[in-house]
Amino acid sequence: MKLSFKRIWGIILRHLYLLKHSFSRWIDLLYWPTVDLLLWGFITIYLQKDFYPEGKWVFQFIGALIFWNILIRAQQGLAVGFLEDIWARNLLHLFVSPLTITEYLLGLFIFSLFKAFIASLLMAIIATFAFNFKIWLQGIDIFLMVFNLIFFAWSIGLLTMAFILFFGQEAEILAWALALFFLPFSAVFYPVDVLPKFFQYIAQFVPTSYIFETMRKVLLEGEVSYVLILKAYFLTIIYFFISVVIFILSFNFAKKTGKFTKIGE
């Protein structure tokens, strides 16, 4: 049987049309490569500048991985927990019951804490035995920083849920992508000074940048900058308030327009 270029072109054209009208597919095509390039590009610049005493960079990277994992697990615990109800076509059933939106969110918040705790505990145990990195020995200041990361993760999770309610399941990709939007500006694996000036300006409005800068001070110098922690909490409270407002508006919009009956189909 001869190959038909028309049939091959038909398959290509089908996927081109899907790409043309799909926001999530464009994110997959353009967003992830951009984030990867920025992240590893800035890490490379940082390592070339040789900021650390010999061997110190290892602990900084391990600590950064644990902290970032806590944020991701908390954010996805909230957003993916919400998506689980959508995929199971259970969202409408939940909200025709006596369940209130506050009760629903508190349940998701607690579940996301559980996921973040399990994942971070596992990483901390492995880091202790494999790399002799005992993050909990840094004292209560670590918990102040961790709670801020979780608080900020909830803000991102609420925004994700709001976008899904407003735009439909096309916005599902944000459950995995939205937190990573803040990654290049959060100074997770490198200090803010490594970033270009414009990125440094953006980092001033990203609370996680202050947390990771503080983490580096704690791990490398044994000093805690409470000024940076206060700045992080101040920004996080603003983010959380804005995300709650946007979520409530999207929730009410979904109820008024009947999206609850369609979402998940």
Side-chain angles (χ1 to χ4, degrees):
M1 187 175 180
K2 292 183 179 180
L3 289 174
S4 170
F5 178 74
K6 285 186 178 180
R7 290 194 290 267
I8 296 171
W9 175 243
I11 295 297
I12 296 172
L13 194 61
R14 173 188 180 275
H15 288 283
L16 285 175
Y17 280 130
L18 287 174
L19 180 64
K20 178 181 178 182
H21 299 289
S22 175
F23 175 69
S24 62
R25 288 179 175 86
W26 277 109
I27 286 180
D28 186 58
L29 181 64
L30 302 176
Y31 180 80
W32 301 114
T34 302
V35 171
D36 285 342
L37 178 62
L38 290 175
L39 174 63
W40 292 105
F42 291 138
I43 288 175
T44 301
I45 292 173
Y46 184 32
L47 293 177
Q48 286 177 341
K49 292 187 176 181
D50 194 25
F51 279 107
Y52 289 137
E54 185 177 354
K56 287 287 188 177
W57 64 272
V58 177
F59 282 169
Q60 187 267 329
F61 277 122
I62 294 173
L65 281 171
I66 294 175
F67 268 39
W68 184 253
N69 183 77
I70 290 171
L71 186 149
I72 290 294
R73 295 285 80 78
Q75 180 263 328
Q76 290 184 358
L78 194 63
V80 177
F82 177 69
L83 282 173
E84 291 282 0
D85 288 321
I86 291 177
W87 294 331
R89 300 183 180 179
N90 196 39
L91 200 60
L92 179 62
H93 300 145
L94 284 172
F95 288 109
V96 296
S97 73
L99 181 74
T100 67
I101 186 61
T102 302
E103 293 166 342
Y104 179 71
L105 290 178
L106 285 174
L108 288 181
F109 286 155
I110 294 171
F111 176 67
S112 73
L113 276 176
F114 171 76
K115 289 189 71 174
F117 173 76
I118 293 298
S120 59
L121 179 63
L122 175 62
M123 293 185 75
I125 291 172
I126 293 173
T128 299
F129 289 102
F131 307 107
N132 197 31
F133 179 71
K134 301 173 183 178
I135 192 169
W136 59 82
L137 295 182
Q138 305 302 324
I140 195 171
D141 299 315
I142 289 294
F143 294 98
L144 285 175
M145 291 184 278
V146 165
F147 183 72
N148 182 272
L149 292 175
I150 292 172
F151 200 10
F152 183 62
W154 288 345
S155 304
I156 301 173
L158 284 172
L159 281 177
T160 304
M161 293 161 63
F163 290 143
I164 293 170
L165 286 172
F166 190 84
F167 295 107
Q169 284 184 264
E170 182 72 15
E172 282 183 7
I173 189 69
L174 295 177
W176 293 271
L178 193 56
L180 293 179
F181 171 79
F182 296 94
L183 181 58
F185 312 105
S186 295
V188 178
F189 301 107
Y190 43 79
V192 173
D193 293 344
V194 171
L195 298 172
K197 289 296 182 182
F198 179 69
F199 278 27
Q200 289 183 33
Y201 178 76
I202 296 175
Q204 293 178 17
F205 300 94
V206 178
T208 43
S209 68
Y210 298 103
I211 294 300
F212 284 99
E213 289 281 70
T214 303
M215 180 208 68
R216 269 184 290 275
K217 280 184 171 292
V218 171
L219 294 179
L220 301 177
E221 303 172 14
E223 297 179 0
V224 180
S225 175
Y226 292 106
V227 173
L228 292 180
I229 292 178
L230 285 174
K231 287 181 179 179
Y233 271 95
F234 175 74
L235 285 172
T236 300
I237 290 170
I238 294 174
Y239 273 94
F240 188 76
F241 176 77
I242 293 172
S243 65
V244 167
V245 171
I246 293 174
F247 175 78
I248 291 172
L249 291 173
S250 296
F251 184 80
N252 291 334
F253 171 80
K255 286 199 300 184
K256 288 180 182 178
T257 58
K259 282 201 171 188
F260 272 152
T261 61
K262 300 176 182 177
I263 196 167
E265 295 182 354

